[in-house]
Amino acid sequence: MRGIFSTTILLAIFSFAQFDDFLVVATPRYNTVCNINAPTKHAGGKWQYVLDEDFNGKELNPDIWTARQSVEVGHLRELQYYRPENVEVNNGLLLLHTKEERYENWSYTSGWVDSNFKFGIRYGRVCVRARLPAQQPGFHPAHWLMPLSETCWPGAGEIDVMEMLSGDGVVHATYHYNKNYTRIGCNNNSAEEGTSVFNIEDPSFSDSFHEYAVEWTEESLTYFVDGKPYLSLYPSDKEMDSVSQTPMYFIINNALGRWAGRVTNATGFPIVHEIDYIRMMQDSSEKGSEVVFPNHKNNPDHAGNEFARSTLEVLNQRSRLRRKVSKE
């Protein structure tokens, strides 16, 4: 079932606006970090799905997802041009295709899907079950969260749930932040990070799907692979004022080059990044939990194209700043 939301339950717990065109979520079908039967942080709490995307339709749910066409968005002097034609929904999977082909002045095309302008959350668990190709020099798939806000990057943070470089089986988890943002705002363009890696340690990892997840609370971030926690970040550890309290939207994409190194003759195009599901759930006992539909027709705070332009500019500003930092 695609793009499913537990609107009835969410209304009772979080007092969200009514969105009649979404459906009540089903129970989980997988052993996952995003399991509504998991214990909650506080007594009396209850996990509820806010997104259970299984890609069982024939196309992306347009109320939630957009396949981008762009060379600039999120671009860090990488090699790909993102095209909607490289995004496919087929047989219960989201497929992002990275190809060696000429388009405009580019030699490679790839896929990028995000929920910007449409859907975001503050706090909860985000889980992606995906199969990533092994031994692909220069290939850089990523699952990450960016703020639904107009703040300069990384003032409201960036949560990188999963990045893998060249299909080496090592999962990178990162939280980007600016600890001085609340004090001096955008006058300080420094970006800091908390990061760790998880080695799947299985040479046949690409034969199977694995779940990459993060739990985001007001107090911490915890990262998981296949249900195993391997990184926890707390504000006190990094001299941060707090973990990001800004609602975020989700991005999944395939990049080429840059951090992942050079594309070589050993890179086997076309490359496919397969996504089985994207799930998000929230704990009713977590203070401040929120679901956001920025441009939904029933949202009284609908901000239309102005909101879209401002959040897009945050991504572009991020790209410019990270390119500048990489030169220094």
Side-chain angles (χ1 to χ4, degrees):
M1 191 178 296
R2 68 187 179 92
I4 305 174
F5 296 82
S6 52
T7 49
T8 304
I9 297 172
L10 288 173
L11 284 169
I13 296 176
F14 299 109
S15 299
F16 297 139
Q18 180 71 50
F19 301 114
D20 294 327
D21 49 339
F22 297 120
L23 304 176
V24 177
V25 73
T27 55
R29 295 187 297 278
Y30 304 95
N31 183 16
T32 168
V33 169
C34 284
N35 187 335
I36 58 173
N37 296 317
T40 57
K41 185 168 63 173
H42 304 291
K46 186 176 181 181
W47 287 106
Q48 303 289 349
Y49 284 118
V50 294
L51 175 68
D52 187 6
E53 176 64 272
D54 283 340
F55 302 107
N56 284 337
K58 295 182 179 180
E59 60 185 15
L60 290 172
N61 181 352
D63 290 324
I64 303 299
W65 306 111
T66 301
R68 299 286 170 196
Q69 172 143 345
S70 175
V71 65
E72 173 61 22
V73 173
H75 206 277
L76 304 173
R77 287 210 184 100
E78 294 160 346
L79 305 177
Q80 74 287 335
Y81 192 107
Y82 292 112
R83 301 189 68 203
E85 291 82 356
N86 292 54
V87 176
E88 177 186 8
V89 177
N90 188 14
N91 197 29
L93 296 173
L94 170 64
L95 306 174
L96 303 185
H97 300 274
T98 301
K99 303 176 181 180
E100 184 176 21
E101 62 178 357
R102 295 294 298 179
Y103 183 80
E104 302 290 344
N105 294 320
W106 297 83
S107 298
Y108 306 97
T109 62
S110 195
W112 169 303
V113 172
D114 67 59
S115 66
N116 198 8
F117 325 144
K118 296 179 179 180
F119 173 82
I121 65 168
R122 176 169 57 193
Y123 309 146
R125 291 183 176 182
V126 177
C127 304
V128 182
R129 187 170 184 258
R131 180 159 58 187
L132 304 174
Q135 303 304 315
Q136 293 286 5
F139 183 61
H140 180 183
H143 309 159
W144 45 307
L145 294 143
M146 282 285 287
L148 278 166
S149 73
E150 301 178 29
T151 183
C152 58
W153 184 86
E158 173 185 328
I159 301 173
D160 296 337
V161 182
M162 185 288 302
E163 295 178 273
M164 187 176 290
L165 308 177
S166 298
D168 61 3
V170 177
V171 180
H172 296 256
T174 308
Y175 176 58
H176 298 274
Y177 64 95
N178 183 344
K179 68 181 181 182
N180 297 310
Y181 176 72
T182 57
R183 183 167 56 87
I184 60 177
C186 292
N187 292 324
N188 180 2
N189 281 331
S190 64
E192 301 179 62
E193 62 185 39
T195 186
S196 185
V197 298
F198 180 95
N199 192 337
I200 295 179
E201 295 182 339
D202 180 359
S204 62
F205 79 91
S206 61
D207 294 340
S208 304
F209 284 83
H210 297 275
E211 185 186 78
Y212 310 96
V214 67
E215 181 174 1
W216 170 25
T217 75
E218 184 180 18
E219 302 165 350
S220 65
L221 290 164
T222 302
Y223 294 82
F224 306 81
V225 172
D226 292 333
K228 299 175 183 178
Y230 66 98
L231 171 65
S232 292
L233 296 173
Y234 301 88
S236 58
D237 296 340
K238 298 294 180 180
E239 299 180 351
M240 295 181 283
D241 293 334
S242 66
V243 174
S244 177
Q245 300 175 13
T246 302
M248 293 195 176
Y249 66 94
F250 187 74
I251 304 168
I252 191 162
N253 69 293
N254 295 347
L256 279 175
R258 196 59 186 173
W259 189 25
R262 295 177 56 194
V263 172
T264 72
N265 291 335
T267 309
F269 294 101
I271 307 172
V272 183
H273 179 180
E274 302 170 87
I275 300 93
D276 181 28
Y277 62 67
I278 301 172
R279 290 181 178 149
M280 302 183 190
M281 68 181 197
Q282 292 183 320
D283 176 0
S284 63
S285 65
E286 181 69 37
K287 182 181 178 182
S289 293
E290 184 179 9
V291 174
V292 181
F293 300 86
N295 284 348
H296 195 277
K297 61 186 178 183
N298 292 335
N299 187 344
D301 297 323
H302 171 75
N305 291 331
E306 288 301 320
F307 179 87
R309 280 195 292 271
S310 64
T311 52
L312 184 63
E313 174 57 24
V314 172
L315 263 181
N316 291 337
Q317 184 268 346
R318 166 188 179 271
S319 300
R320 291 192 296 269
L321 175 57
R322 293 189 69 175
R323 288 200 296 265
K324 176 182 177 183
V325 170
S326 68
K327 289 181 179 179
E328 297 174 350

